[in-house]
Amino acid sequence: MSPREIASVAVVGAGTMGTQIAFCAALHGYPVHLFSRSDQRLHQGVAEATRILAKRVEKGTLEPRDLEAACARVRPTTDLEEAAGSVDLVIKAIAEERDAKHRVFSQLGGIAREDAILASNSSTMPSSFFRECVPHPERLLNLHFFNPALVMRLVEVVKGEHTAETTAQACMEFARRIGKTPVMVRKATYGFVANRILFIAMQEAFDLVAQGVVAMEDCDLAVRNGLNWPMGPFELADLVGLDITEDILHEGHVQTGEARWAPKPLLRRHVEAGELGRKTGRGFYDYPGA
């Protein structure tokens, strides 16, 4: 079964990521249904995305009429059947919790059109985890946007063994049409491409500091100035959250069985102490007033 050309979209999940994905599509002319079970979450998500885009208007990089048109194309709803029942592409952007994702995909399998593409924005769970939930799993794949979705250009289009080439190509074209730079990941592997490289690099940095090869600050300095990263690995881990970083690494260890994914003692000590990064005011670095 070949998917139809993507002309309409639903986003399931109105957190920061889901809402920004919805507005990315709306800015480029797509009608979008944005679903959440919570009216308050919908209101907050739309307000935040609108605020971000209003700053572009202030800077002169977005026309006021284009912002108004994008807002008009986004239809918030708490009715999943209304959101996903007639669209060409459904993007699930809910929390990284496997049981919750299973429930949503099982619901979507009974609601969405048989030729609608069903995509997961998950960065850690391949679509194969959910193939038994979905009739015609050849239309199922990962469509991984990066945070913040209104800014970051990369989208990873990740084929599972069950995913049809026509499904993947339709999503590649969709990503291009909303101004993104898509890459095709032809074999689902933990972390896909960018995050797999990133988190293994973090592990190397944690080892170098723990072994006394380099001070943490100098490690970040070397990466910023030698590799031209905008942030060093310790600064980035603090921004992501050390608990989230540990969870990602732990899940990588579980899924791959490779020792290199096992969270390093240096990271675990901070998490056990409740020093989780910027959000707690202390992680690898201190953040007074956070």
Side-chain angles (χ1 to χ4, degrees):
M1 177 180 297
S2 297
R4 301 194 310 191
E5 181 178 348
I6 295 169
S8 56
V9 181
V11 179
V12 177
T16 299
M17 180 60 78
T19 306
Q20 291 200 19
I21 292 171
F23 273 82
C24 281
L27 280 169
H28 290 82
Y30 287 90
V32 184
H33 287 92
L34 177 63
F35 168 83
S36 174
R37 290 175 295 179
S38 166
D39 277 317
Q40 181 180 6
R41 177 62 64 87
L42 286 167
H43 176 76
Q44 290 173 340
V46 170
E48 176 63 14
T50 303
R51 183 189 65 80
I52 292 169
L53 293 175
K55 288 186 177 180
R56 296 186 186 178
V57 173
E58 292 174 5
K59 294 177 180 178
T61 59
L62 180 67
E63 292 294 327
R65 64 177 179 273
D66 292 332
L67 173 55
E68 292 174 10
C71 290
R73 293 186 190 106
V74 176
R75 295 184 178 181
T77 179
T78 57
D79 185 329
L80 186 59
E81 187 166 359
E82 178 187 352
S86 62
V87 298
D88 302 309
L89 169 64
V90 183
I91 303 171
K92 179 195 58 56
I94 65 173
E96 296 286 86
E97 204 281 308
R98 191 177 304 189
D99 289 343
K101 291 177 187 291
H102 266 283
R103 286 193 298 272
V104 170
F105 271 120
S106 294
Q107 290 176 286
L108 291 173
I111 290 173
R113 293 196 332 255
E114 288 189 351
D115 62 345
I117 295 172
L118 303 180
S120 173
N121 184 57
S122 175
S123 61
T124 62
M125 297 181 194
S127 60
S128 59
F129 283 11
F130 315 109
R131 64 178 298 178
E132 72 277 8
C133 304
V134 176
H136 308 294
E138 63 270 19
R139 55 70 171 265
L140 174 67
L141 80 171
N142 286 80
L143 192 59
H144 179 220
F145 289 75
F146 284 73
N147 191 24
L150 280 167
V151 176
M152 300 294 285
R153 293 185 61 84
L154 179 62
V155 173
E156 293 175 329
V157 179
V158 187
K159 289 184 67 178
E161 292 182 356
H162 51 279
T163 307
E165 181 69 17
T166 52
T167 300
Q169 291 298 337
C171 287
M172 291 285 287
E173 181 61 22
F174 168 73
R176 294 187 189 102
R177 288 185 179 183
I178 64 171
K180 301 302 184 184
T181 301
V183 298
M184 179 76 78
V185 182
R186 295 196 168 274
K187 182 178 179 181
T189 185
Y190 185 77
F192 306 144
V193 176
N195 280 344
R196 188 177 181 92
I197 293 168
L198 170 64
F199 282 96
I200 291 299
M202 279 187 180
Q203 291 281 73
E204 287 295 319
F206 298 159
D207 270 345
L208 288 171
V209 170
Q211 293 165 7
V213 174
V214 65
M216 177 181 70
E217 295 84 356
D218 284 341
C219 182
D220 279 348
L221 191 65
V223 170
R224 288 200 311 272
N225 290 276
L227 300 181
N228 205 29
W229 287 20
M231 305 178 77
F234 292 91
E235 295 168 315
L236 183 56
D238 275 353
L239 179 64
V240 170
L242 302 193
D243 52 338
I244 294 172
T245 300
E246 183 184 43
D247 287 345
I248 290 170
L249 292 167
H250 172 73
E251 183 66 18
H253 190 212
V254 170
Q255 287 193 34
T256 67
E258 297 174 2
R260 62 180 177 162
W261 283 97
K264 301 295 183 180
L266 178 64
L267 173 64
R268 292 203 310 269
R269 284 198 295 272
H270 283 279
V271 174
E272 289 167 1
E275 299 169 355
L276 307 182
R278 288 178 177 268
K279 61 188 175 184
T280 61
R282 174 174 290 184
F284 289 118
Y285 294 96
D286 291 338
Y287 302 92

